[in-house]
Amino acid sequence: MENQNTEQQFKDVMLECRTLFEKKLHDYGASWRILRPASLTDQLFIKAKRIRSLEVKKESLVGEGIRPEFVALINYGIVGLIQLSRGYVDEVDVTPAEAMTLYDHHANEALQLMIRKNHDYDEAWRGMRVSSYTDFILTKLQRIKEIENLQGETLVSEGIDSNYMDIINYAVFGCIKLNEGQEMRG
């Protein structure tokens, strides 16, 4: 029962993220196709650092809280997966419909990974603090930076794609926890 609840909560957050992504796609097109890997990593880093800053300071001077940054991490994480699979370009090369198909594919992959891991870890994420998700995301981003510096030539580590998937999943868990009011609302 709890697993189905988690799966539905995950799907609800992903639908919210998809809706925002689609609206931004309308406004900006797939301008993110131009982002090189290091720039995308830095964008994710900025979002995660802002969450950590808000968690520590407990105040936002810009008026936007933590939850919108988790949503951004989810959407940029999916963009990262798209960029890994397709490479970056100098001019936008996908239609909004194609971009949404790519988005849905990677969002579904993230869902399937969460279902498998949630089975093996037995809902452990529910006992974690939102601030731990933030720290794990920042750790994953540091790993991505190291892998990028090594031009992907790792010896034993997961690839960048696995780290993006984990970032997406931790950010979804953060959104779920904040929805439940378990920690500081953003």
Side-chain angles (χ1 to χ4, degrees):
M1 180 73 163
E2 191 66 41
N3 253 357
Q4 283 188 329
N5 186 34
T6 296
E7 184 175 338
Q8 188 57 54
Q9 287 176 302
F10 193 97
K11 287 178 178 178
D12 291 346
V13 169
M14 292 304 284
L15 178 60
E16 173 190 350
C17 294
R18 184 189 194 280
T19 300
L20 179 63
F21 186 87
E22 193 167 33
K23 288 176 180 177
K24 288 194 174 201
L25 192 58
H26 172 272
D27 292 350
Y28 305 129
S31 57
W32 44 265
R33 287 288 295 129
I34 294 167
L35 287 171
R36 291 176 288 176
S39 299
L40 187 53
T41 301
D42 287 344
Q43 181 64 24
L44 285 158
F45 178 75
I46 289 166
K47 297 297 182 183
K49 283 295 281 189
R50 182 160 190 277
I51 293 170
R52 189 165 171 160
S53 172
L54 292 174
E55 289 170 346
V56 171
K57 294 175 185 169
K58 308 232 186 281
E59 177 185 23
S60 168
L61 297 182
V62 205
E64 293 178 357
I66 291 172
R67 199 170 180 291
E69 300 297 356
F70 275 128
V71 168
L73 284 168
I74 294 162
N75 282 343
Y76 278 115
I78 291 174
V79 165
L81 292 169
I82 294 169
Q83 294 296 81
L84 281 178
S85 67
R86 298 194 52 140
Y88 67 91
V89 295
D90 290 328
E91 292 183 25
V92 175
D93 63 345
V94 294
T95 66
E98 290 168 331
M100 292 311 301
T101 298
L102 293 166
Y103 184 97
D104 291 340
H105 170 76
H106 292 290
N108 185 58
E109 282 184 333
L111 170 66
Q112 296 309 314
L113 177 65
M114 182 282 297
I115 290 169
R116 291 190 307 273
K117 283 191 172 186
N118 205 37
H119 171 271
D120 290 358
Y121 287 91
D122 209 20
E123 298 276 314
W125 69 272
R126 289 195 180 272
M128 294 170 60
R129 297 171 186 94
V130 172
S131 59
S132 294
Y133 305 141
T134 305
D135 290 351
F136 291 158
I137 289 168
L138 284 165
T139 301
K140 295 288 181 181
L141 287 165
Q142 186 60 43
R143 290 177 181 179
I144 290 169
K145 286 181 182 185
E146 294 295 331
I147 294 169
E148 288 171 348
N149 291 343
L150 292 170
Q151 284 86 40
E153 299 295 323
T154 60
L155 299 177
V156 295
S157 303
E158 297 177 318
I160 292 173
D161 57 341
S162 296
N163 286 287
Y164 282 150
M165 291 289 265
D166 288 343
I167 289 168
I168 292 165
N169 286 338
Y170 285 131
V172 171
F173 293 155
C175 285
I176 291 170
K177 285 266 196 149
L178 291 172
N179 282 350
E180 293 175 343
Q182 292 186 14
E183 294 199 27
M184 176 179 84
R185 287 217 172 256

